[in-house]
Amino acid sequence: MTQKSLGQCNTTNKALLAWVEDMVKLCQPDRIFWCDGSEAEKEALTAEAVAKGILIKLNPKKLPGCYYHRSHPNDVARVEDRTFICTPMQDEAGPTNNWTAPKEMHKKLNGLCAGGMRGRTMYVVPYLMGPLGSPLNKVGIELTDSIYVALSMRIMTRMGDIAHQQLGNSDEFNRGLHSMLDMNPANRYIAHFPQDNAIISVNSNYGGNVLLGKKCLSLRIGSYLGRNEGWLAEHMLILGVESPEGEKTYVVAAFPSACGKTNFAMMVPPARFQGWKIWTIGDDIAWMKPGRDGRLYAINPEAGYFGVVPGTNSKSNPNAMKTIAHDTIYTNVALTPDLDVWWEGKDGDPPKECLDWRGNKWTPDSKEKAANPNSRFAAPMRNNPMLAPEVDDPNGVPISAIIFGGRRADTMPLVYQAFDWIHGVYIGATMGSEMTAAAVGGVGQIRRDPMAMLPFCGYNMGDYFRHWISVCKLTNWPPRIFHVNWFRKDAQGNYLWPGFGENMRVLKWIADRCHGRANAIETPLGWVPEPNAIDIEGIKGYSRERLQQVQAINRDEWRRELLLQDELFMKLQSSVPKELIFQRELLAARL
Ligand code: GTP
Ligand code: SPV
Ligand code: MN
């Protein structure tokens, strides 16, 4: 491709051309740049971003192909209070979503966007969510005035001509408009129009607010489409566990934001599990649909990882360290004088001096953190040494287990298994977790986060539960459902379970249960491992007593837990399926 053709219009799709023309009229950019996804384009856009100071090129000896970005200090995480589901009726969005009528929201946003790209370039970013040719994939077009977004979408999705190839002349694509405008947080809106398959995001330039293929399309619009079309869009990692004999078991897990999906999806089994392998299919989102053989199949719609940086090191997540060693965009970490990056929890000592995520001088004596707690990497999944080859399979992988889990210092044992599908849906629906830095506000507070989807469900949560219940009826081999908690603490505040790679020990029990190989004991909560069923051999300083503590069921804590669940059930009131009310009664009776 010649340099000259870069940015030229590369589609004849009439619906697309007409929509872009409308948006150009509204936003009035000086230039339009049509992305094709080529290497030449990546080089040109990267050079431009560096020239403008939007990206800083990192030390090519240490981090080849890596770049550094700082977001606006008022724009470092998702903004749930500025995120809207705009359906004609408020009841469709339900009590857990912010709602505004589509007409009203369009009026407001058209006003804000009018002329908002003057003096700027509008990048037309075509992207494909899911493998080419997959019956589950979706095409989106994001129009953005952010070169950082265009470059990040290139990592996070299958971006460029491949999306045009999938789309052809169809008018069925997600229409996404993103503009940084003046970054005024008071006018920040992340607005979804599920009936129109459309998204408008303004006044932010951060991750989940603006990489529209991710939370906006793959989860909020996706969940809405999934309900209508008979599939599930979930905030879940997908992994394959391979035994030394070569048997592969595929598992999905829903943990809330910054609660361990990336780490679990990239886990390296401990030495004790020689010959076992964990293959990553996805680290954040799963689209699942019953297949013709009656099993539930999952694809990862994404092509990259937008992962939490702090705490990542060669011990906690060696595969992530390899993945982010090249061709990665780092956002809001610390920058060292030799153009390396640093964050709390990285291997080695902190630098004697560096610039923190805001660009201020930082030393180990500083009170503030050098890296923002929600600093992130955007890295292509192809960098992952344990990327599962199945990631490009249009049919996806058959799922044997669904795991739910939150961040809970008490109450929740390490692992238990639901009695059946509806009990499992109840366990997912009543999930609680401490809030994290991934969203603005409330860090550390426990809240109900059903299926880790509270911020991402694009329709009424009660209907979503009903849809979950109905999916079982579309499968002959519903996955087994489990609940885990890596975060339980003792009275001194120490974690009762080592976590990370050692989670393999729990995963093995889960896989064995799916294959009918592991025994379990019935408890009020569900099935738990027999006393010796979790192998703890080789965990330094760990004891059976400690395992008993992390696995303990405290009936008083559980009675309190039942009351906490009320917070959600009362909010949803009459829309909670009666099956879940019954499950709650049964649990109370068992306690
Ligand atoms: P999103 O990308 O926000 O959806 O998050 P995620 O679920 O992928 O979270 P991630 O794996 O990035 O983990 C976030 C935080 O949890 C990091 O600080 C990790 O160090 C910590 N963490 C992950 N797994 C474990 C674990 O097994 N035990 C403990 N104690 N901490 C963990
Ligand atoms: C999350 O918050 O769940 C994320 C990060 O995965 S973001 O893309 O910013 O939403
Ligand atoms: Mn996430």
Side-chain angles (χ1 to χ4, degrees):
M1 182 174 294
T2 62
Q3 190 69 17
K4 206 165 129 254
S5 69
L6 281 184
Q8 301 293 308
C9 181
N10 55 351
T11 176
T12 54
N13 182 307
K14 288 211 179 73
L16 174 53
L17 289 167
W19 174 62
V20 172
E21 195 182 317
D22 284 350
M23 293 303 106
V24 167
K25 265 189 207 139
L26 174 67
C27 304
Q28 299 174 29
D30 280 14
R31 288 166 300 277
I32 307 175
F33 188 104
W34 299 77
C35 294
D36 62 13
S38 65
E39 277 300 313
E41 172 181 285
K42 176 191 176 186
E43 274 171 36
L45 295 186
T46 303
E48 190 182 331
V50 170
K52 290 191 168 138
I54 295 162
L55 293 181
I56 295 172
K57 187 179 164 82
L58 290 167
N59 188 330
K61 289 212 183 78
K62 293 187 165 174
L63 294 164
C66 293
Y67 292 84
Y68 179 90
H69 177 74
R70 282 191 190 105
S71 71
H72 193 288
N74 77 24
D75 185 41
V76 299
R78 284 182 295 98
V79 279
E80 296 180 1
D81 58 331
R82 313 294 310 170
T83 300
F84 291 79
I85 302 297
C86 305
T87 45
M89 304 295 291
Q90 179 161 11
D91 194 45
E92 292 169 84
T96 59
N97 281 311
N98 301 309
W99 173 84
T100 300
K103 230 184 185 163
E104 199 183 313
M105 185 58 92
H106 275 300
K107 200 171 149 204
K108 187 183 306 220
L109 296 182
N110 282 347
L112 287 174
C113 288
M117 291 192 191
R118 265 184 221 142
R120 303 181 187 179
T121 301
M122 175 192 272
Y123 299 91
V124 181
V125 182
Y127 63 93
L128 173 63
M129 302 310 292
L132 186 66
S134 170
L136 263 174
N137 70 20
K138 299 279 174 201
V139 171
I141 312 284
E142 176 164 358
L143 308 181
T144 176
D145 55 6
S146 165
I147 198 167
Y148 166 75
V149 166
L151 284 164
S152 299
M153 285 295 283
R154 193 198 144 82
I155 295 174
M156 295 305 300
T157 70
R158 292 163 172 89
M159 191 273 259
D161 289 337
I162 187 173
H164 289 305
Q165 190 186 332
Q166 180 70 48
L167 183 62
N169 285 321
S170 166
D171 63 356
E172 214 181 293
F173 58 90
N174 179 269
R175 287 155 170 78
L177 174 64
H178 165 243
S179 180
M180 296 185 284
L181 299 181
D182 59 2
M183 295 291 284
N184 177 359
N187 280 331
R188 192 165 287 161
Y189 289 95
I190 321 298
H192 305 71
F193 305 89
Q195 274 88 349
D196 302 329
N197 193 9
I199 305 157
I200 302 176
S201 165
V202 294
N203 282 311
S204 171
N205 196 32
Y206 191 83
N209 297 331
V210 299
L211 307 176
L212 299 186
K214 195 172 180 60
K215 304 301 181 176
C216 301
L217 172 54
S218 289
L219 290 178
R220 298 196 191 96
I221 301 278
S223 59
Y224 174 89
L225 296 174
R227 198 250 320 238
N228 293 343
E229 299 169 2
W231 52 280
L232 289 166
E234 297 300 327
H235 192 200
M236 290 177 170
L237 66 93
I238 313 169
L239 62 76
V241 197
E242 185 179 338
S243 73
E245 294 77 37
E247 177 190 63
K248 271 192 175 179
T249 307
Y250 301 98
V251 166
V252 293
F255 308 153
S257 301
C259 290
K261 289 183 298 301
T262 303
N263 279 273
F264 197 52
M266 301 178 93
M267 177 174 54
V268 176
R272 169 81 178 158
F273 285 73
Q274 219 200 342
W276 288 82
K277 291 191 187 110
I278 302 294
W279 298 95
T280 314
I281 290 145
D283 82 325
D284 198 47
I285 296 170
W287 285 352
M288 298 191 285
K289 192 178 177 151
R292 274 199 213 108
D293 64 359
R295 291 189 290 177
L296 192 63
Y297 281 77
I299 65 162
N300 170 18
E302 301 192 278
Y305 311 135
F306 187 63
V308 176
V309 176
T312 307
N313 58 55
S314 58
K315 235 184 124 214
S316 65
N317 194 345
N319 283 334
M321 290 304 287
K322 287 178 192 148
T323 301
I324 64 179
H326 61 101
D327 303 298
T328 293
I329 300 176
Y330 289 89
T331 298
N332 292 344
V333 296
L335 184 64
T336 68
D338 63 343
L339 297 177
D340 195 356
V341 284
W342 192 76
W343 56 81
E344 279 73 18
K346 196 184 182 189
D347 298 287
D349 295 329
K352 287 196 184 67
E353 188 187 318
C354 63
L355 295 178
D356 70 11
W357 66 274
R358 289 187 176 89
N360 298 327
K361 189 180 146 181
W362 185 94
T363 68
D365 296 329
S366 300
K367 292 210 168 53
E368 308 257 336
K369 290 206 149 75
N372 185 283
N374 193 36
S375 50
R376 299 250 168 187
F377 55 77
M381 65 178 181
R382 311 273 164 214
N383 285 6
N384 178 359
M386 290 308 286
L387 181 68
E390 299 91 321
V391 77
D392 290 315
D393 188 334
N395 295 316
V397 293
I399 299 303
S400 297
I402 295 173
I403 307 174
F404 293 115
R407 183 184 284 268
R408 294 296 299 271
D410 51 41
T411 315
M412 283 293 171
L414 180 64
V415 61
Y416 63 98
Q417 181 185 355
F419 293 121
D420 58 28
W421 180 268
I422 294 182
H423 181 223
V425 172
Y426 169 77
I427 288 170
T430 52
M431 250 169 76
S433 195
E434 290 168 25
M435 291 165 74
T436 64
V440 174
V443 172
Q445 265 166 258
I446 299 228
R447 70 168 179 188
R448 295 298 119 185
D449 189 350
M451 279 88 173
M453 283 288 278
L454 182 70
F456 308 120
C457 183
Y459 62 103
N460 190 304
M461 190 62 84
D463 293 337
Y464 169 74
F465 295 159
R466 202 162 281 112
H467 181 50
W468 257 90
I469 291 171
S470 75
V471 164
C472 180
K473 297 169 192 159
L474 304 174
T475 66
N476 298 329
W477 310 99
R480 306 289 186 232
I481 299 181
F482 299 81
H483 189 281
V484 301
N485 177 23
W486 313 139
F487 300 93
R488 197 168 187 179
K489 290 177 176 170
D490 63 17
Q492 288 71 45
N494 302 310
Y495 285 119
L496 281 162
W497 176 250
F500 302 101
E502 307 296 357
N503 294 334
M504 178 67 214
R505 299 164 189 272
V506 175
L507 183 56
K508 167 139 190 315
W509 181 75
I510 289 173
D512 282 343
R513 285 295 290 169
C514 293
H515 296 295
R517 285 195 292 255
N519 288 334
I521 298 170
E522 189 179 328
T523 72
L525 305 189
W527 298 102
V528 302
E530 279 189 332
N532 291 318
I534 304 274
D535 181 352
I536 59 166
E537 179 92 30
I539 312 180
K540 243 206 216 131
Y542 204 72
S543 62
R544 284 274 152 209
E545 289 68 50
R546 204 103 177 121
L547 184 65
Q548 262 166 25
Q549 262 178 290
V550 73
Q551 197 56 23
I553 297 169
N554 177 324
R555 283 169 202 248
D556 286 334
E557 283 182 343
W558 270 93
R559 286 189 197 104
R560 209 178 326 131
E561 181 71 10
L562 273 176
L563 292 177
L564 287 173
Q565 293 176 2
D566 255 353
E567 177 199 330
L568 178 76
F569 277 26
M570 287 311 286
K571 201 169 184 183
L572 297 177
Q573 293 168 354
S574 55
S575 70
V576 179
K578 64 177 185 318
E579 290 90 333
L580 301 191
I581 311 267
F582 295 157
Q583 286 295 330
R584 187 185 142 86
E585 293 299 314
L586 286 170
L587 174 56
R590 287 194 300 264
L591 280 171

